Each structure stands twice: as C-alpha cells, then as structure tokens.
Amino acid sequence: YRRARRAAYSQSIARLQQASSAAVATLMKIMVDTNAPASTRVRAADSVLDHAAKAIEIEDIEVRVAELERTAAEQSTRTE
C-alpha cells in the first residue's frame, strides 16, 4: 500500500513539475497584460517574486547542506 501511495505521489509531483513552465508563462502573460485589472497584474507579479525568492532560498539551503555533507565525509575519513 505504501509503495503504491508513494508511486502515485511521485507521479503527481512529476505532473506538477511538467506544468510549472505553463504556470510561469501564464503568470508572466497576466503580469504584462495592460488590459488585465491592476490588482490581477500585481497579484501575478507578487506570485512570481514570491516563488523566485523561495527558489533562491532552496538553492542556498542545498549549497549549505552539500557543504555540511562534504565536511562530515572528510571528518569521517580522517577518523577511520
């Protein structure tokens, strides 16, 4: 049951990742559409900025984790 649930979840994540390009294109299109209400354009712009900031945070965390893992591996090698 757990394997089936994990497989279904993985498929859902893959579909979300595939759709992310279209989602970004939609947000950007709305953001620059002068015929769209200002509140809609602001919301689209805010969403783009928010997601960009989160992506930077995740990237920074990944770099820090990789550095910690490298340091831990080096220390493990030295103590053996």
Side-chain angles (χ1 to χ4, degrees), residues 19-33 44 48:
S20 65
S21 292
V24 170
T26 299
L27 284 171
M28 292 177 65
K29 185 176 178 182
I30 292 168
M31 189 175 67
V32 298
D33 182 358
V48 168

Side-chain angles (χ1 to χ4, degrees), residues 17-79:
Q17 288 172 335
Q18 290 173 348
S20 65
S21 292
V24 170
T26 299
L27 284 171
M28 292 177 65
K29 185 176 178 182
I30 292 168
M31 189 175 67
V32 298
D33 182 358
T34 56
N35 294 320
S39 61
T40 302
R41 291 185 295 140
V42 167
R43 180 67 186 120
D46 185 54
S47 183
V48 168
L49 290 172
D50 185 48
H51 290 292
K54 285 180 185 175
I56 290 170
E57 289 173 13
I58 290 169
E59 233 175 63
D60 289 347
I61 291 169
E62 288 174 344
V63 168
R64 292 172 64 192
V65 168
E67 180 64 23
L68 288 170
E69 289 174 338
R70 186 189 62 75
T71 301
E74 286 176 0
Q75 290 177 350
S76 174
T77 304
R78 289 181 189 155
T79 59

